[in-house]
Structure formats: C-alpha cells, structure tokens
Amino acid sequence: MEMKGKTVVITGGANGIGAVTARLFGKKGAQVAILDYNEIAGEELASEMHAQGIEAAFFKTDVAKRNQVKETAEKVLAHFGKVDVLINNAGITRDAMLLKMDAEIFQQVIDVNLTGVFNCTQAFLPAMIAAGKGKVINTSSIAGTGGNVGQTNYAASKAGVIGMTRTWAKEYGRKGINVNAVAPGFIETDMISTMPEKVIMQIKQVTPFSRLGKPEDIANAYLFLASDASDFINGTVLEVDGGMLK
Ligand code: NAI
C-alpha cells in the first residue's frame, strides 16, 4: 500500500498513534501535514522526518477551535497544493463516573473529539471534492461502540464520530469521497498510561492475543483505509482491538 504523491493530514499527529502514523505514511511516500496543539513535539517530529528525506510540515492547531482549523487548512493547501487523505485522530480523555463528571469536562471532550472532527472535515473536504477523490478517516473507539465505565463524555464523543462517519459516507460517496472510522481497542500510548496495572491485566485476559494494541496496529488500519485498496469501503467502522471479548 503505497502513498507516493499523496498528501495526508493527520490531526493529533505529534504523539502516540498519530506520530507513528505520520512516520508510516512518510515512509510510504506521502507528504505529511502534522496538526497538533503540542508545538514542541510536532516540530520535532517534522524535523526528524525531514532529516529522512520525507516531506513533512507541522501546523500548530487546536482542532476544537474553528478559526484555527480554517486557517490551518488554508496554510496546508498553500503548502502542499492539495489534500488526499484526512485522518481525524486527535483525541483526549477526561474520565469520571457520571455523577462526578463536571459539565465542563463533559464539554471539553465533546469539543475536541466530536466538534474537532466536524471542524477539520468541514475545512478539508472541499479540496477533496474539487479533486473528485479523497479519503476521510475518523477515530472512534470501542468505548464508542460498547460504552466504558468512567467515560460518559468520551463514549458519547466516539459514538458521535460513528454517526458522522456514516452520514458523510452517504452524503459524499457520490463525490468520490470515502469516509470510514477506526475503532481502536486499548493501545499502548500516553492515553492509557495512567490506567491501573490491574485493569491492564484484565484487558489482556479478555484479548485473545493476550496483549494491548500497539500504535502501529492502528497506523496500519489507517493506511489500508487511506489506500486505493479500500476504494469500495465506505461508512464502515473497523474495530482494531485484537478480538477483545465484549
Ligand atoms: P495520545 O494522547 O498519545 O495522542 C493524542 C494526540 O492528540 C497528542 O499529540 C495531543 O497533543 C493531540 N491533541 C489532543 N487534543 C488536541 C487538540 N484539541 N488539537 C490538536 N491536537 C490535540 O493519544 P492516542 O492514544 O495516540 O490517541 C489517538 C486517537 O486514538 C484518539 O482519538 C483516541 O481517542 C483514540 N483512541 C485511543 C485509544 C488508546 O487506547 N490509546 C483507544 C481508542 C481510541
């Protein structure tokens, strides 16, 4: 699955799954736009990729801020001239049981994980439609398909992402745009680094492969959905969780 000549936008591209994805797409020949609000990590990654001869550029952006996203889309298009793939990967967690969840942290997670995906897709989709082809890949979660204790806000945002994915697949398929989602299981990144060891053990016990996922497992799923190999796949949610028992 080559990405030669394709321009790929990866939100939350400075760390975790996004950074591994940026490196993988770069190795496959893509020009990579890394969007993130973490400037230090984002600039570092772009220079690391540059040093390897990959065309990568970092654009400081908070996906929850509509104006910033709009400005960034203009900058990305001015820099690379086009966008072939948008990976809406940026996401956060702010966990608490329902009765202890402040309205503020509920909203914060919705703003990034749900509204952020809306903002970025609205900003980048017109260029894909003009080109007559494009791939949008949204990041959901198994918390979005099955719910998860302590994650009212996160599960709501990730279920919402699935709703938007299926809607956009129906709205823009006829314009040559594929819109799909990936629903990761538990993946070894900073996001789950504060989870108690006991819970990690329990997750491994209910995963047939007896391990957590690696960022590469998700990056490979993104690559498939970004490539021509998935041209007839639209509106689907690809669960990448090692077959975890639910
Ligand atoms: P991470 O915390 O390692 O990386 C997330 C990246 O998104 C960071 O670089 C962060 O700076 C960036 N980011 C956060 N808010 C942002 C904002 N408002 N604007 C721009 N950038 C922002 O997380 P990870 O694990 O790599 O997660 C990537 C995606 O995968 C997220 O959407 C997450 O919800 C999803 N996911 C992760 C799972 C896991 O177990 N790690 C499980 C299921 C889904």
Side-chain angles (χ1 to χ4, degrees), residues 168-238:
W168 298 339
K170 287 180 176 163
E171 286 182 349
Y172 295 103
R174 68 180 70 111
K175 304 274 183 193
I177 313 294
N178 301 60
V179 187
N180 291 294
V182 173
F186 290 89
I187 312 299
E188 281 169 342
T189 67
D190 287 350
M191 185 168 271
I192 64 157
S193 59
T194 53
M195 276 172 68
E197 190 51 37
K198 200 175 137 209
V199 178
I200 300 278
M201 287 300 293
Q202 284 165 353
I203 292 164
K204 287 183 183 167
Q205 274 165 11
V206 294
T207 305
F209 298 125
S210 306
R211 69 166 175 90
L212 299 179
K214 299 187 180 78
E216 288 76 8
D217 294 318
I218 306 306
N220 282 321
Y222 287 156
L223 180 64
F224 169 61
L225 291 175
S227 75
D228 296 343
S230 61
D231 273 358
F232 201 56
I233 298 180
N234 197 23
T236 199
V237 180
L238 181 55

Side-chain angles (χ1 to χ4, degrees), residues 11-19 35-38 41 60-65 68 88-94 111-113 116 139-143 154 157-158 182-192 195 213 215 218 222:
T11 74
N15 285 296
I17 294 167
L35 274 58
D36 207 293
Y37 62 14
N38 184 337
K60 188 180 180 195
T61 316
D62 182 340
V63 296
K65 306 219 162 103
Q68 269 186 37
N88 282 309
N89 165 81
I92 57 167
T93 51
R94 297 286 183 271
D111 286 349
V112 176
N113 296 6
T139 310
S140 180
S141 164
I142 51 163
Y154 186 77
S157 69
K158 295 299 189 179
V182 173
F186 290 89
I187 312 299
E188 281 169 342
T189 67
D190 287 350
M191 185 168 271
I192 64 157
M195 276 172 68
I218 306 306
Y222 287 156

Side-chain angles (χ1 to χ4, degrees), residues 19-238:
V20 169
T21 302
R23 291 190 185 100
L24 175 66
F25 277 71
K27 270 191 211 131
K28 295 284 176 184
Q31 288 115 37
V32 184
I34 301 159
L35 274 58
D36 207 293
Y37 62 14
N38 184 337
E39 191 166 14
I40 296 172
E43 289 289 8
E44 252 176 42
L45 178 60
S47 344
E48 173 203 305
M49 290 171 68
H50 258 291
Q52 293 163 2
I54 297 164
E55 247 192 273
F58 173 68
F59 300 86
K60 188 180 180 195
T61 316
D62 182 340
V63 296
K65 306 219 162 103
R66 262 180 96 68
N67 287 343
Q68 269 186 37
V69 170
K70 218 171 148 236
E71 276 169 30
T72 294
E74 283 160 13
K75 284 186 202 158
V76 169
L77 286 167
H79 189 90
F80 291 115
K82 65 186 179 101
V83 173
D84 301 289
V85 179
L86 167 65
I87 306 179
N88 282 309
N89 165 81
I92 57 167
T93 51
R94 297 286 183 271
D95 296 353
M97 297 295 279
L98 171 64
L99 296 182
K100 293 194 169 154
M101 185 174 283
D102 296 337
E104 244 167 59
I105 69 160
F106 179 83
Q107 195 56 48
Q108 210 181 336
V109 169
I110 297 292
D111 286 349
V112 176
N113 296 6
L114 187 66
T115 313
V117 174
F118 169 76
N119 289 341
C120 291
T121 308
Q122 265 197 340
F124 286 102
L125 192 64
M128 294 186 195
I129 291 173
K133 188 169 164 68
K135 306 253 180 177
V136 177
I137 302 161
N138 297 327
T139 310
S140 180
S141 164
I142 51 163
T145 52
N148 196 24
V149 173
Q151 295 200 309
T152 295
N153 47 5
Y154 186 77
S157 69
K158 295 299 189 179
V161 162
I162 293 174
M164 296 199 297
T165 301
R166 297 209 162 115
T167 298
W168 298 339
K170 287 180 176 163
E171 286 182 349
Y172 295 103
R174 68 180 70 111
K175 304 274 183 193
I177 313 294
N178 301 60
V179 187
N180 291 294
V182 173
F186 290 89
I187 312 299
E188 281 169 342
T189 67
D190 287 350
M191 185 168 271
I192 64 157
S193 59
T194 53
M195 276 172 68
E197 190 51 37
K198 200 175 137 209
V199 178
I200 300 278
M201 287 300 293
Q202 284 165 353
I203 292 164
K204 287 183 183 167
Q205 274 165 11
V206 294
T207 305
F209 298 125
S210 306
R211 69 166 175 90
L212 299 179
K214 299 187 180 78
E216 288 76 8
D217 294 318
I218 306 306
N220 282 321
Y222 287 156
L223 180 64
F224 169 61
L225 291 175
S227 75
D228 296 343
S230 61
D231 273 358
F232 201 56
I233 298 180
N234 197 23
T236 199
V237 180
L238 181 55

